[in-house]
Amino acid sequence: MRLDKLLSNIGYGSRKEVKGLLKTGVVKVDGKSVKDAKLHVDPNHQEITVHGEEVVYKEFIYLMMNKPQGVISATEDPQHETVVDLLALEDAVYEPFPVGRLDKDTEGLLLLTNDGQLAHQLLSPKKHVPKTYFAEINMEVTEEDIEAFKKGVMLDDGYVTKPADLKVVQNGETAEIELTIVEGKFHQVKRMFESRGKKVTYLQRISMGPLPLDEELALGEYRELTEAEIEKLKMGHEW
Ligand code: URA
């Protein structure tokens, strides 16, 4: 990455300001003063200091976002705003990508990382990572629905879902439920209810693996995971 881009992204001012800073000779790469803004540096393997202080550039970044509706779970989209567009430049510079997808109209917990290995682990169908959703349903949810989800239901393409845990939070003319699934087929929660002749009218992911959605996060906000949370995720199926 270009030295001026790196310094600018991590908060040393605009590219122009960084150029000015470089001219003063206070930026060193591996102990040598560098004035060339265009110099390509590798922050993971070279020591970069400004005024003698080492610039911290992490290899991996792990973020939890409370995804709002109307935003696409992708890194780029020609038409719509993406979850990556919601990131501050200082985080976007690490090029995180969403771990799996939430539909455009689904809210809630979305992890973003540039750690491909961890993302792969969390998404691997073999790992059966549980994901819990809160949903509003357009009609009553019955014991039969609970039993059917426990056994597995057939989706519109003939796929039979793995056992899922359905809990009714509130029931009446409409219902509120929590559903835990261990796979991630396209539109899975919506299609599971469709298989029962019911419609999801609101969907929010409230947990993934060991991590619950941080309730302090407003829609569209995100934060870095703590070391303990990253450890838990990496432990795989200890949770
Ligand atoms: N199931 C869905 O139907 N949509 C999502 O966004 C996630 C799970």
Side-chain angles (χ1 to χ4, degrees), residues 30-70:
D30 289 336
K32 273 193 210 134
S33 180
V34 171
K35 296 191 175 174
D36 178 8
K38 292 190 205 127
L39 182 77
H40 275 255
V41 289
D42 175 355
N44 295 318
H45 297 103
Q46 289 176 296
E47 188 193 60
I48 302 159
T49 59
V50 179
H51 292 294
E53 277 206 27
E54 191 171 351
V55 164
V56 180
Y57 190 92
K58 309 162 274 204
E59 184 176 9
F60 293 125
I61 190 167
Y62 303 90
L63 305 171
M64 176 192 292
M65 177 181 283
N66 186 0
K67 178 193 168 299
Q69 293 185 2

XYZ file of all heavy atoms in Angstrom, residues 30-70:
331
model
N 11.489 1.402 8.519
C 12.627 0.590 8.960
C 13.833 1.468 9.336
O 14.972 1.207 8.925
C 13.014 -0.436 7.874
C 11.971 -1.542 7.757
O 11.244 -1.783 8.747
O 11.858 -2.140 6.677
N 13.511 2.529 10.057
C 14.570 3.380 10.611
C 15.086 4.458 9.680
O 15.860 5.319 10.103
N 14.656 4.421 8.420
C 15.163 5.428 7.471
C 14.089 6.450 7.153
O 12.943 6.077 6.841
C 15.571 4.746 6.161
C 16.973 4.242 6.179
C 17.412 3.878 4.756
C 18.418 2.754 4.816
N 18.162 1.701 3.864
N 14.455 7.717 7.212
C 13.509 8.787 6.912
C 13.050 8.675 5.451
O 13.861 8.473 4.552
C 14.212 10.120 7.159
O 13.322 11.153 6.879
N 11.726 8.772 5.259
C 11.180 8.627 3.908
C 10.354 9.854 3.568
O 9.529 10.297 4.364
C 10.292 7.357 3.824
C 9.544 7.312 2.504
C 11.129 6.103 3.997
N 10.589 10.404 2.366
C 9.822 11.591 1.972
C 8.922 11.315 0.776
O 8.116 12.151 0.396
C 10.781 12.742 1.660
C 11.555 13.151 2.897
C 12.317 14.426 2.719
C 12.956 14.808 4.055
N 13.826 15.939 3.967
N 9.078 10.125 0.208
C 8.338 9.791 -1.012
C 6.948 9.251 -0.662
O 6.797 8.134 -0.167
C 9.149 8.732 -1.784
C 8.429 8.289 -3.042
O 7.395 8.907 -3.385
O 8.900 7.327 -3.667
N 5.929 10.073 -0.962
C 4.550 9.695 -0.632
C 4.111 8.443 -1.371
O 3.239 7.701 -0.903
C 3.610 10.850 -0.975
N 4.697 8.222 -2.524
C 4.234 7.105 -3.365
C 4.878 5.762 -2.997
O 4.513 4.734 -3.548
C 4.569 7.389 -4.844
C 3.773 8.536 -5.426
C 3.980 8.576 -6.944
C 3.742 9.961 -7.456
N 4.859 10.466 -8.256
N 5.836 5.821 -2.069
C 6.544 4.584 -1.710
C 5.552 3.500 -1.266
O 4.647 3.761 -0.475
C 7.515 4.863 -0.557
C 8.345 3.659 -0.120
C 9.479 3.400 -1.102
C 8.897 3.864 1.284
N 5.722 2.311 -1.784
C 4.864 1.195 -1.357
C 5.462 0.545 -0.122
O 6.646 0.222 -0.108
C 4.695 0.180 -2.496
C 3.598 0.590 -3.412
N 2.359 -0.015 -3.420
C 3.531 1.605 -4.305
C 1.590 0.592 -4.295
N 2.273 1.575 -4.856
N 4.629 0.410 0.894
C 5.113 -0.189 2.140
C 4.231 -1.385 2.505
O 3.073 -1.466 2.090
C 5.100 0.831 3.310
C 6.170 1.877 3.118
C 3.729 1.462 3.488
N 4.812 -2.258 3.296
C 4.057 -3.414 3.797
C 4.020 -3.283 5.318
O 4.983 -3.631 6.009
C 4.771 -4.708 3.373
C 4.076 -5.927 3.974
O 3.125 -5.757 4.768
O 4.501 -7.045 3.655
N 2.924 -2.742 5.847
C 2.873 -2.454 7.286
C 2.967 -3.699 8.167
O 3.239 -3.591 9.349
C 1.520 -1.764 7.468
C 0.723 -2.139 6.267
C 1.682 -2.410 5.153
N 2.723 -4.876 7.573
C 2.833 -6.092 8.391
C 4.276 -6.544 8.556
O 4.587 -7.331 9.448
C 2.003 -7.223 7.788
C 0.525 -6.889 7.826
O 0.039 -6.362 8.827
N -0.168 -7.155 6.740
N 5.124 -6.079 7.685
C 6.515 -6.540 7.742
C 7.536 -5.426 7.862
O 8.727 -5.681 7.986
C 6.837 -7.413 6.515
C 6.012 -8.658 6.489
N 4.927 -8.829 5.672
C 6.097 -9.786 7.235
C 4.387 -10.013 5.896
N 5.070 -10.616 6.842
N 7.094 -4.187 7.759
C 8.044 -3.077 7.901
C 7.634 -2.224 9.097
O 6.435 -2.099 9.382
C 8.029 -2.216 6.628
C 8.668 -2.924 5.442
C 8.550 -2.098 4.185
O 7.448 -1.844 3.708
N 9.678 -1.671 3.658
N 8.645 -1.641 9.745
C 8.332 -0.774 10.885
C 8.188 0.659 10.384
O 9.131 1.220 9.814
C 9.446 -0.857 11.933
C 9.053 -0.117 13.195
C 10.230 0.105 14.127
O 11.202 0.772 13.709
O 10.161 -0.377 15.254
N 7.018 1.227 10.599
C 6.776 2.599 10.149
C 6.574 3.447 11.398
O 5.752 3.101 12.263
C 5.519 2.644 9.249
C 5.730 1.704 8.048
C 5.229 4.061 8.778
C 4.468 1.258 7.382
N 7.345 4.513 11.503
C 7.186 5.392 12.671
C 6.938 6.822 12.223
O 7.376 7.250 11.153
C 8.440 5.363 13.580
O 9.573 5.790 12.801
C 8.712 3.999 14.154
N 6.188 7.536 13.053
C 5.960 8.972 12.840
C 6.359 9.648 14.146
O 5.842 9.270 15.213
C 4.470 9.267 12.515
C 4.259 10.764 12.319
C 4.025 8.499 11.261
N 7.277 10.601 14.081
C 7.823 11.234 15.293
C 8.337 10.164 16.255
O 8.139 10.266 17.473
C 6.763 12.083 16.001
C 6.353 13.313 15.243
N 7.200 14.364 15.002
C 5.175 13.641 14.676
C 6.566 15.298 14.321
N 5.336 14.877 14.098
N 8.892 9.085 15.736
C 9.457 8.024 16.583
C 8.442 7.023 17.112
O 8.801 6.044 17.747
N 7.146 7.295 16.874
C 6.123 6.368 17.388
C 5.676 5.411 16.312
O 5.344 5.841 15.191
C 4.901 7.161 17.862
C 5.104 7.662 19.244
C 3.808 7.876 19.978
O 2.804 7.205 19.666
O 3.820 8.747 20.847
N 5.642 4.144 16.696
C 5.289 3.148 15.683
C 3.814 3.262 15.287
O 2.934 3.431 16.125
C 5.571 1.732 16.211
C 5.480 0.720 15.095
C 5.960 -0.669 15.491
O 6.528 -0.805 16.600
O 5.764 -1.583 14.699
N 3.604 3.196 14.002
C 2.248 3.232 13.462
C 1.671 1.822 13.581
O 2.286 0.861 13.133
C 2.313 3.659 11.974
C 1.029 3.341 11.252
C 2.674 5.126 11.872
N 0.495 1.723 14.227
C -0.090 0.391 14.423
C -1.039 0.096 13.267
O -1.989 0.822 13.028
C -0.863 0.316 15.761
C -1.467 -1.067 15.943
C 0.070 0.648 16.909
N -0.708 -0.934 12.566
C -1.555 -1.348 11.453
C -1.808 -2.838 11.645
O -0.914 -3.648 11.544
C -0.840 -1.085 10.127
C -1.718 -1.246 8.923
C -2.396 -0.152 8.406
C -1.880 -2.473 8.313
C -3.224 -0.290 7.304
C -2.705 -2.613 7.209
C -3.366 -1.526 6.716
O -4.180 -1.663 5.622
N -3.059 -3.157 11.971
C -3.359 -4.567 12.280
C -3.482 -5.371 11.000
O -3.917 -4.850 9.979
C -4.708 -4.678 12.994
C -4.882 -3.795 14.151
C -6.344 -3.653 14.508
C -6.994 -2.547 13.711
N -8.160 -1.961 14.299
N -3.190 -6.642 11.096
C -3.390 -7.499 9.933
C -4.883 -7.803 9.752
O -5.421 -7.707 8.658
C -2.608 -8.806 10.103
C -2.722 -9.678 8.879
C -1.882 -10.937 8.974
O -1.340 -11.210 10.056
O -1.796 -11.633 7.946
N -5.534 -8.129 10.875
C -6.939 -8.527 10.784
C -7.827 -7.558 11.545
O -7.434 -6.996 12.561
C -7.136 -9.930 11.357
C -6.466 -10.992 10.536
C -5.566 -11.860 11.127
C -6.741 -11.117 9.180
C -4.949 -12.851 10.374
C -6.131 -12.103 8.417
C -5.227 -12.967 9.010
N -9.023 -7.430 11.042
C -10.022 -6.627 11.726
C -11.293 -7.464 11.837
O -11.618 -8.229 10.922
C -10.251 -5.285 10.996
C -11.095 -4.348 11.844
C -10.894 -5.485 9.626
C -11.104 -2.909 11.360
N -11.967 -7.339 12.985
C -13.185 -8.113 13.238
C -14.246 -7.132 13.748
O -14.060 -6.529 14.807
C -12.933 -9.179 14.309
C -11.802 -10.123 13.969
C -10.489 -9.830 14.352
C -12.038 -11.295 13.262
C -9.439 -10.688 14.035
C -10.995 -12.167 12.947
C -9.706 -11.853 13.337
O -8.667 -12.701 13.020
N -15.309 -6.998 12.995
C -16.331 -6.019 13.352
C -17.691 -6.688 13.527
O -18.017 -7.641 12.800
C -16.458 -4.965 12.239
C -15.194 -4.230 11.837
C -15.434 -3.398 10.582
C -14.701 -3.336 12.977
N -18.474 -6.164 14.476
C -19.874 -6.565 14.605
C -20.719 -5.352 14.243
O -20.545 -4.279 14.821
C -20.204 -6.977 16.046
C -21.697 -7.312 16.219
S -22.201 -7.465 17.947
C -21.341 -8.927 18.459
N -21.603 -5.543 13.268
C -22.478 -4.437 12.851
C -23.924 -4.785 13.164
O -24.317 -5.955 13.097
C -22.330 -4.207 11.344
C -23.261 -3.132 10.800
S -23.094 -2.892 9.001
C -21.573 -1.959 8.940
N -24.696 -3.768 13.519
C -26.149 -3.924 13.578
C -26.669 -3.419 12.238
O -26.888 -2.226 12.048
C -26.722 -3.133 14.751
C -28.211 -3.394 14.942
O -28.825 -4.172 14.207
N -28.791 -2.737 15.927
N -26.819 -4.349 11.309
C -27.161 -3.971 9.931
C -28.577 -3.384 9.868
O -29.517 -3.984 10.374
C -27.078 -5.207 9.027
C -27.468 -4.930 7.581
C -27.684 -6.223 6.820
C -28.354 -6.025 5.478
N -29.688 -5.423 5.540
N -28.707 -2.255 9.230
C -30.050 -1.705 9.036
C -30.689 -2.260 7.763
O -29.997 -2.843 6.927
C -29.786 -0.198 8.882
C -28.411 -0.107 8.313
C -27.660 -1.350 8.722
N -31.985 -2.044 7.610
C -32.650 -2.424 6.359
C -32.186 -1.498 5.238
O -31.710 -0.393 5.484
C -34.169 -2.294 6.514
C -34.730 -3.304 7.504
C -36.254 -3.282 7.578
O -36.911 -2.536 6.871
N -36.799 -4.102 8.449
N -32.315 -1.970 4.012
C -32.024 -1.115 2.856
C -30.570 -1.132 2.428
O -30.186 -0.450 1.478
